[in-house]
Amino acid sequence: MLDFAMLIEPDNLKLYADGLLTTLKLLLVSLACGLAVSVPLSVLRVAKSPLLYGPVWLYTYVIRGTPMLLQLYLIYYGLSQFAVVRDSLAWPLLSDASFCAMLALAINTCAYTTEMLAGAIRATSHGEVEAAKSVGMSRATLYRRILLPSALRRSLPAYSNEVVMMLHATSLASTVTLLDITGAADRLYSTYYMPFEPFLAAALVYLLLTWGLVRVFRQLEGRYLAYLAPRSH
Amino acid sequence: MKKLAVSVALALSCSGLALAEQPKQIRIGVEAAYEPFAYKSPDGKLVGFDIDMANALCAQMKAKCVFVEQEWKGIIPALNAKKYDAIISSMSITDERKKAVDFTDKYYHTPARLIAKAGSISGTPASLKGKRLGVLKASTHEKYAQKYYAPAGAIVVPYDSTQQVYMDLAAGRLDATSADSVESSVGFLKKPEGKGYAFVGPVLKDPAIFGQGAGIAVRKGDDDLRNGFNGAIKAIRANGTYKKVNDKHFNFDAYGA
């Protein structure tokens, strides 16, 4: 017997609306930070010197090789156990659950995005690189004009997957006291002892968000990957 | 054919034996993060007042308790989903929960208190204005905080277990928590992390929220089990078993007035 009536009570609708804002804030901030840092890291990742690519390889290997829930717990509950951390300048930030969640999300998406971009850089056709060199481009200009723009474009389809996965990963924030969409559903679940209706409603919100994101990325792909499409008459 | 008959006879006799020797099992749902009532010993065993009390009640009913662990916020839904038959996990008997489950009589009753850094707040709702108050999700303490402290300007932060509340209280992410006085005293104040923290203000009172003490929850309409537990509670109160279990954990009578 399902009863969705409680979902449309004003207080509970507001809970979901606030949850939606929290989820979007977590997603957008962590994606922006993660992407910004991943661009230079991906350049280091494809460098020839082990001193340059080694640390980046280790970072992506560790982050991609461990569950994000664990990383979030380490950041939120783990770090706070040390007096050194609690007395440090970073504590006002680290004591904030919202910051901890964004940090964990950003570290994660940055690792995945770095590997994705590095792969795209490696897959750039040799002809393009040779052409650039033949007209006398320096390494910096080669990266700025040829490799990075092309790699970013070609990463779009894979990146849209990453963004959707990140949207779903934000639900972990509810485990550190944040009231995101999942947290809102969790609150209703524990208030009304009904697991099905609140979580089903939350799933629907995520589904709509995913649908929106996929549409945005399809537009972007149409625009930025047009040059790769088969020629039409 | 003969072989088949023999094996069928064997199987029947075996199952008959098994049925005869096994006492009735009662599956008990418990949240094991609530020292000293229900928690894990360092070697991973379930221990505490609730566990001992459950075993004493089951023994009185000539049955055997089988414990099933469950996170607090899902403990009532899991009972109704028949993951276990009863909840013996320091659950306060409240009108709201009675809509979802049936309760036995109380088996103990200890008051709720507010805990904060000694001397930091007076304990009145007004003194919590702008302060962060941690509570256990879906607990009576959360209800109380929403009713009295949130309107006065306190930020109520719900957690999945009281252990997480105490961690964040010690870390300074929270300014206060409201919790059971016995559980918070043993689970936090007497531990190294609880140094410098104390009960503030008077005992919290609101019968509509805190109910009449902790009872055993069973599924709606499961009167056999409920009456069985009620009889057993009376019996062990009378025959001294309750006192024995009580004295193992507390130096006062947890049954309350």
Side-chain angles (χ1 to χ4, degrees):
Chain A
M1 188 186 67
L2 293 177
D3 177 14
F4 287 94
M6 56 100 174
L7 287 177
I8 49 171
E9 280 173 32
D11 279 358
N12 298 340
L13 277 181
K14 187 173 178 307
L15 204 58
Y16 273 101
D18 290 347
L20 178 64
L21 285 181
T22 306
T23 294
L24 287 178
K25 191 179 99 179
L26 287 171
L27 179 70
L28 295 178
V29 172
S30 59
L31 280 178
C33 297
L35 183 62
V37 179
S38 71
V39 173
L41 285 188
S42 66
V43 174
L44 290 176
R45 182 72 183 85
V46 296
K48 285 204 179 67
S49 159
L51 280 177
L52 293 178
Y53 76 75
V56 183
W57 168 83
L58 187 67
Y59 157 69
T60 62
Y61 189 80
V62 170
I63 296 299
R64 296 192 305 161
T66 50
M68 202 187 116
L69 180 62
L70 206 131
Q71 297 161 12
L72 181 59
Y73 274 10
L74 283 175
I75 292 173
Y76 185 79
Y77 288 114
L79 287 180
S80 67
Q81 299 305 299
F82 302 106
V84 191
V85 177
R86 288 204 303 274
D87 297 336
S88 74
L89 288 173
W91 181 243
L93 283 176
L94 282 174
S95 70
D96 181 35
S98 185
F99 176 82
C100 289
M102 279 183 220
L103 184 66
L105 287 164
I107 288 177
N108 251 271
T109 182
C110 180
Y112 283 96
T113 314
T114 299
E115 286 299 328
M116 201 162 52
L117 286 176
I121 293 175
R122 282 191 211 102
T124 310
S125 78
H126 294 294
E128 287 180 40
V129 180
E130 274 172 22
K133 281 184 178 159
S134 71
V135 295
M137 278 192 198
S138 68
R139 263 203 101 63
T141 318
L142 171 69
Y143 267 99
R144 187 162 53 80
R145 287 211 187 139
I146 309 295
L147 287 174
L148 282 177
S150 157
L152 282 168
R153 283 165 187 249
R154 281 177 289 117
S155 300
L156 260 180
Y159 191 65
S160 74
N161 266 337
E162 168 65 14
V163 170
V164 171
M165 298 298 280
M166 283 302 287
L167 168 68
H168 298 165
T170 56
S171 64
L172 292 177
S174 64
T175 62
V176 292
T177 75
L178 289 178
L179 280 174
D180 66 334
I181 298 170
T182 306
D186 200 50
R187 165 71 70 84
L188 293 185
Y189 163 51
S190 62
T191 308
Y192 296 90
Y193 309 124
M194 299 199 296
F196 211 66
E197 296 85 345
F199 287 124
L200 204 62
L204 199 66
V205 178
Y206 282 113
L207 206 61
L208 284 172
L209 281 176
T210 304
W211 176 80
L213 284 172
V214 168
R215 288 209 41 125
V216 168
F217 272 95
R218 192 170 296 163
Q219 293 283 319
L220 288 174
E221 282 167 28
R223 168 109 175 70
Y224 291 105
L225 293 177
Y227 74 104
L228 289 177
R231 215 180 327 170
S232 57
H233 296 287
Chain B
M1 199 58 213
K2 220 180 212 168
K3 256 189 200 159
L4 184 69
V6 168
S7 58
V8 166
L10 209 64
L12 280 176
S13 64
C14 279
S15 60
L17 273 175
L19 280 175
E21 274 176 11
Q22 222 156 37
K24 200 178 86 182
Q25 286 198 343
I26 305 177
R27 291 172 306 157
I28 309 288
V30 62
E31 189 233 12
Y34 208 64
E35 200 177 341
F37 293 102
Y39 62 105
K40 293 253 187 75
S41 63
D43 57 350
K45 284 202 189 72
L46 280 171
V47 288
F49 178 79
D50 283 338
I51 308 296
D52 291 341
M53 191 54 66
N55 281 326
L57 291 170
C58 284
Q60 182 67 35
M61 293 159 71
K62 305 264 184 300
K64 191 178 173 314
C65 282
V66 180
F67 293 97
V68 181
E69 282 183 60
Q70 168 65 43
E71 200 178 43
W72 182 253
K73 69 178 183 227
I75 205 162
I76 285 181
L79 172 70
N80 287 330
K82 303 196 175 172
K83 306 265 187 223
Y84 35 75
D85 308 308
I87 299 169
I88 305 187
S89 196
S90 300
M91 182 173 276
S92 303
I93 304 164
T94 65
D95 287 340
E96 193 160 344
R97 288 182 180 139
K98 276 184 194 163
K99 288 179 200 157
V101 293
D102 282 346
F103 278 104
T104 64
D105 302 332
K106 69 162 181 175
Y107 66 95
Y108 82 84
H109 190 190
T110 50
R113 300 283 305 261
L114 208 56
I115 296 111
K117 203 152 227 165
S120 63
I121 53 168
S122 69
T124 59
S127 73
L128 279 162
K129 189 173 188 314
K131 305 274 187 203
R132 292 170 61 82
L133 179 86
V135 288
L136 177 64
K137 238 178 236 175
S139 68
T140 49
H141 309 289
E142 184 185 14
K143 293 268 174 321
Y144 188 86
Q146 294 290 2
K147 183 169 169 187
Y148 291 97
Y149 301 134
I155 303 151
V156 179
V157 191
Y159 285 79
D160 283 335
S161 81
T162 56
Q163 287 170 346
Q164 292 176 339
V165 176
Y166 297 142
M167 268 199 278
D168 269 2
L169 189 59
R173 282 195 183 110
L174 295 172
D175 299 302
T177 175
S178 86
D180 180 84
S181 53
V182 175
E183 179 267 327
S184 55
S185 161
V186 178
F188 180 62
L189 292 178
K190 285 186 182 153
K191 299 222 162 140
E193 308 87 88
K195 203 169 163 276
Y197 289 82
F199 291 123
V200 292
V203 164
L204 308 179
K205 281 198 180 116
D206 186 338
I209 286 177
F210 290 119
Q212 309 94 41
I216 300 166
V218 298
R219 279 185 292 276
K220 280 229 162 266
D222 195 352
D223 291 339
D224 283 351
L225 191 57
R226 194 168 58 88
N227 293 334
F229 274 125
N230 274 336
I233 293 171
K234 277 206 191 72
I236 65 166
R237 277 296 288 175
N239 70 14
T241 311
Y242 187 100
K243 189 170 158 34
K244 226 190 290 170
V245 171
N246 182 82
D247 292 355
K248 183 179 156 192
H249 296 276
F250 309 121
N251 54 13
F252 57 90
D253 186 4
Y255 191 74

